[in-house]
Amino acid sequence: MVDLSGTWIKNSDVDVVRLVHETVVREFGRRALQYTDTAGAPEPREELRRILAAKGFTRHEVYFTTSIADSIRVVAEIHLNPGECIQPEDPTQKEVLSYAKCGRPKAVYIQPHWRNPDGYIYTAGELEAAARSAPLAIYDLTYGLLAGDVPYVPEGAVVVGSLDVLFPSLHLAYVAVPPSLSDYYLNVLEASYLHPPTYMQYLFYAAVKSGAVYAVFNSLARRRDLVRQHLGVEATPYFAWLRPRDKTIFLKHGALDGSVFSWRGRFGEYVRLGLTSATEEELADFLSKVPL
């Protein structure tokens, strides 16, 4: 059955995945199977720093975490006082919703490129206005790391993101901060004893350096094109935001109700279709039979 949950349940590029894992074991061996220091393994950190610098975050220090939820929790622990909160978009990533409801926003949370779940892309003016609305800007680049520009980069912004979406079996996230905040973040990470698996860090590194993440991304882009063709909606390579006449068939196949992405209880008429867990053939067959 076609799966629209957006997890990495299926993947058509089995050989690509196997080769990347073999590269990790062959090239890094014991290093990939041991603890690293809290900041992260040097080669993967440098690669992530390089990618973020290309987006405009040229001086940020990067630290790995185990998940996007961990990244946001660390940001909240450092920057939020009791009664303060993060002002997110609506709709937004589910992981930030628990920090959204209060009377005193301290930080604004922005997904500049391919906002989850509706795929919105911000203009430079919109990003600048959002960054001015709170003392701290949090940029989530989960879905915008491989594509698109960040047209406005506040010097003091904090960057978070999940790397899970880049490659099957990868389970890793990060937080990137300006130099003035680096010691604070490293101390909190050490106190929290957050040691993301070293193997996952090297898996990320090998997948990027070998070009495998781009091969998978191109495969996902073809699925996006299928969705555009059959449903006539704008989609990203990772998900599509749809307002169908009947949500039932999509929900039965793992799609998420739009309301779970809203902190105001909105978007119940929408569904988010995940495109990472079905093959192109499965998607084409399924969408050709869906009554619209």
Side-chain angles (χ1 to χ4, degrees):
M1 183 178 80
V2 66
D3 187 285
L4 298 172
S5 64
T7 53
W8 284 110
I9 293 175
K10 297 178 182 178
N11 180 62
S12 56
D13 301 308
V14 176
D15 289 339
V16 172
V17 176
R18 175 178 54 81
L19 288 172
V20 171
H21 281 275
E22 289 176 353
T23 299
V24 173
V25 175
R26 182 179 65 253
E27 294 192 9
F28 302 104
R30 293 180 181 178
R31 274 193 293 164
L33 301 175
Q34 300 295 324
Y35 278 125
T36 184
D37 61 38
T38 306
E43 300 95 333
R45 277 190 74 205
E46 184 56 36
E47 186 61 27
L48 181 57
R49 186 184 291 113
R50 182 192 66 79
I51 294 172
L52 289 174
K55 294 290 180 186
F57 300 93
T58 56
R59 301 179 63 241
H60 279 51
E61 290 291 333
V62 301
Y63 303 110
F64 289 112
T65 64
T66 55
S67 67
I68 184 66
D70 268 343
S71 296
I72 296 172
R73 179 169 60 82
V74 170
V75 174
E77 183 174 340
I78 290 175
H79 294 280
L80 300 187
N81 295 315
E84 295 177 335
C85 66
I86 298 172
Q87 180 74 43
E89 308 139 308
D90 198 24
T92 190
Q93 287 265 46
K94 293 188 296 179
E95 287 82 359
V96 79
L97 292 179
S98 59
Y99 300 98
K101 295 182 179 179
C102 78
R104 288 187 290 158
K106 177 69 172 292
V108 59
Y109 172 91
I110 312 163
Q111 300 170 85
H113 195 92
W114 288 339
R115 178 172 66 192
N116 180 31
D118 64 344
Y120 187 74
I121 299 174
Y122 279 81
T123 66
E126 288 171 327
L127 288 178
E128 187 171 359
R132 287 200 306 263
S133 68
L136 176 69
I138 305 168
Y139 277 35
D140 186 335
L141 293 183
T142 293
Y143 295 100
L145 199 61
L146 295 187
D149 297 321
V150 180
Y152 175 75
V153 177
E155 185 176 340
V158 170
V159 186
V160 298
S162 170
L163 299 171
D164 297 7
V165 303
L166 298 185
F167 198 71
S169 76
L170 183 60
H171 188 64
L172 192 66
Y174 66 90
V175 58
V177 301
S180 60
L181 296 174
S182 59
D183 288 342
Y184 293 102
Y185 272 82
L186 186 57
N187 288 338
V188 170
L189 291 169
E190 288 176 341
S192 303
Y193 200 68
L194 291 177
H195 287 271
T198 310
Y199 186 89
M200 288 296 165
Q201 298 178 40
Y202 280 107
L203 181 63
F204 157 73
Y205 178 72
V208 173
K209 296 299 286 184
S210 68
V213 293
Y214 303 102
V216 171
F217 182 83
N218 289 337
S219 174
L220 295 177
R222 292 192 294 271
R223 302 178 205 184
R224 170 200 60 196
D225 294 341
L226 278 173
V227 171
R228 287 173 172 173
Q229 174 186 343
H230 286 279
L231 299 181
V233 298
E234 185 59 34
T236 80
Y238 303 104
F239 52 80
W241 188 236
L242 179 67
R243 188 179 185 180
R245 285 184 294 178
D246 183 2
K247 300 189 301 181
T248 306
I249 187 170
F250 295 102
L251 296 176
K252 284 182 177 179
H253 284 262
L256 298 178
D257 194 287
S259 61
V260 305
F261 298 94
S262 174
W263 60 282
R264 294 191 178 104
R266 303 167 62 199
F267 308 110
E269 69 274 27
Y270 286 85
V271 291
R272 195 201 79 158
L273 315 181
L275 307 184
T276 57
S277 46
T279 66
E280 292 175 56
E281 293 75 17
E282 287 173 327
L283 269 178
D285 180 66
F286 174 74
L287 294 176
S288 68
K289 298 174 181 176
V290 173
L292 299 176

